[in-house]
Amino acid sequence: MLSSLTRRLAVSRSAPPVLRSLSTPPSRSTDTEGTIVAKLTEHFSPSELAVQDVSGGCGSFFAIKIASDAFKGLSTVKQHKLVTEILKQEIQEIHGLQVSPRE
């Protein structure tokens, strides 16, 4: 059901295209969702990035899928720590976060 709510947009960068997944149309995406995308894009230059509000649109729980060369050789725990450190401020304001990093 969530996949039917997801909309993918290509974000142009000099690197390969980054996919941004939104649970709501871009004009109605939450500020937190946009901030998460911006911070992760800036810090990790991901080859793939999907940020999805899985709380039904209220912005309290996000699922993140991210692929980046920055994760090469790191354990999953270290990859999670890198992501959550960047999103420390946003995590304080939400109820939950699901992170799925990969190289």
Side-chain angles (χ1 to χ4, degrees), residues 55 57 85-86:
S55 64
E85 183 63 31
I86 297 302

Side-chain angles (χ1 to χ4, degrees), residues 1-61:
M1 185 165 118
L2 287 178
S3 63
S4 66
L5 298 174
T6 302
R7 180 178 174 155
R8 293 194 180 268
L9 301 172
V11 178
S12 63
R13 293 185 48 93
S14 58
V18 175
L19 296 178
R20 177 180 174 200
S21 292
L22 302 172
S23 58
T24 55
S27 61
R28 294 177 38 206
S29 64
T30 65
D31 290 339
T32 303
E33 199 169 9
T35 301
I36 290 171
V37 169
K39 284 187 169 185
L40 294 177
T41 300
E42 178 183 339
H43 289 281
F44 298 111
S45 299
S47 56
E48 181 182 344
L49 176 60
V51 176
Q52 190 172 33
D53 179 355
V54 293
S55 64
C58 71
S60 65
F61 195 102

Side-chain angles (χ1 to χ4, degrees), residues 61-90:
F61 195 102
F62 292 91
I64 298 171
K65 291 182 182 179
I66 182 169
S68 173
D69 287 341
F71 301 141
K72 281 189 179 176
L74 299 178
S75 69
T76 302
V77 172
K78 287 184 181 179
Q79 293 173 22
H80 275 257
K81 283 183 180 182
L82 286 175
V83 171
T84 56
E85 183 63 31
I86 297 302
L87 301 176
K88 188 182 288 188
Q89 182 178 354
E90 289 71 29

